[in-house]
């Protein structure tokens, strides 16, 4: 048997499938090893901020995954021109439909690289005071003074006026007995 015809002049073969899986795993795990080497042997000796190191490591992972998928699809026998055309059309549609998600995702990169806030900072956002508990790629966890923990989209920190009370040399908390104007 030479293979199972699947249309478009392509034939399904077990050898192509196994080759595609092997290439995907090899490239994917190579990128993971590169991430570990970067983290342990290179980035740990630099003076970069923690968020910058994490962003570099995360981007290496995404690049490795994309490369692994592309190479394995090509090795399976698919025409890359056709796949590129289809994926470009899909990416435009998905991009329009998921603008908010992408905005928060890239805002997370900005927060991790520029570090306008970091975990433990006391902030004021939209008139509410709170402490930053955790910064994720899409959202940030803030515990407000009334002990509520709120998940805030990262775009709120990038696009809104933000006051970081922990950035200056001295931080202070104002406490009013009956309001600020008594």
């Amino acid at each position: 048997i030479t293979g199972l015809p699947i249309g478009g002049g392509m034939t399904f073969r077990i050898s192509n499938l196994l080759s595609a899986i092997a290439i995907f795993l090899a490239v994917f795990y190579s990128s993971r090893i590169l991430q570990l080497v970067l983290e342990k042997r290179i980035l740990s000796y630099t003076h970069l901020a923690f968020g910058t190191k994490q962003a570099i490591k995360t981007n290496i992972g995404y690049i490795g995954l994309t490369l692994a998928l592309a190479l394995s699809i090509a090795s399976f026998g698919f025409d890359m021109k056709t796949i590129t055309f289809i994926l470009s059309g899909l990416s435009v549609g998905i991009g329009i439909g998921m603008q908010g998600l992408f905005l928060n995702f890239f805002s997370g990169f900005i927060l991790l690289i520029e570090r306008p806030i970091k975990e433990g900072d006391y902030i004021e956002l939209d008139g509410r005071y709170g402490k930053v508990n955790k910064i994720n790629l899409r959202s940030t966890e803030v515990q407000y003074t009334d002990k509520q923990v709120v998940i805030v989209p990262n775009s709120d920190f990038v696009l809104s006026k933000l006051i970081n009370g922990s950035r200056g040399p001295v931080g202070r908390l104002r406490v009013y007995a009956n309001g600020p104007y008594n």
Side-chain angles (χ1 to χ4, degrees):
I1 284 182
T2 60
L4 180 67
I6 56 176
M10 291 190 50
T11 304
F12 175 80
R13 291 184 182 89
I14 294 293
S15 62
N16 287 358
L17 177 64
L18 294 175
S19 173
I21 291 171
I23 288 172
F24 176 83
L25 292 174
V27 174
F28 180 75
Y29 283 113
S30 295
S31 73
R32 293 290 183 214
I33 291 170
L34 179 60
Q35 281 180 304
L36 287 173
V37 168
L38 272 173
E39 182 180 29
K40 304 288 184 195
R41 304 266 170 122
I42 297 171
L43 294 176
S44 62
Y45 296 108
T46 65
H47 297 289
L48 295 172
F50 175 76
T52 305
K53 293 176 185 180
Q54 288 300 106
I56 291 170
K57 181 182 166 194
T58 302
N59 282 328
I60 294 294
Y62 289 141
I63 291 168
L65 178 62
T66 304
L67 189 61
L69 282 172
L71 291 175
S72 65
I73 288 171
S75 73
F76 195 78
F78 287 108
D79 180 23
M80 288 308 288
K81 290 179 186 176
T82 306
I83 290 178
T84 303
F85 182 73
I86 292 169
L87 289 180
S88 64
L90 282 174
S91 65
V92 170
I94 291 170
I96 290 170
M98 300 180 73
Q99 278 181 326
L101 181 65
F102 286 126
L103 176 63
N104 288 319
F105 182 75
F106 288 113
S107 296
F109 275 120
I110 291 170
L111 290 179
L112 290 172
I113 291 172
E114 286 185 1
R115 308 284 290 171
I117 60 171
K118 61 183 185 297
E119 293 176 5
D121 280 357
Y122 289 92
I123 61 164
E124 178 186 350
L125 182 67
D126 296 331
R128 293 186 72 188
Y129 298 93
K131 179 183 176 187
V132 176
N133 284 344
K134 187 172 184 180
I135 301 173
N136 297 310
L137 205 51
R138 190 196 64 77
S139 61
T140 298
E141 186 179 295
V142 178
Q143 182 173 4
Y144 288 112
T145 53
D146 59 0
K147 300 294 183 190
Q148 285 184 330
V149 175
V150 179
I151 308 300
V152 181
N154 285 334
S155 61
D156 288 1
F157 294 103
V158 175
L159 301 176
S160 301
K161 180 181 176 184
L162 171 73
I163 298 172
N164 188 341
S166 302
R167 293 286 288 223
V170 177
R172 66 179 178 215
L173 178 64
R174 294 184 205 142
V175 179
Y176 300 103
N178 294 320
Y181 303 109
N182 289 341

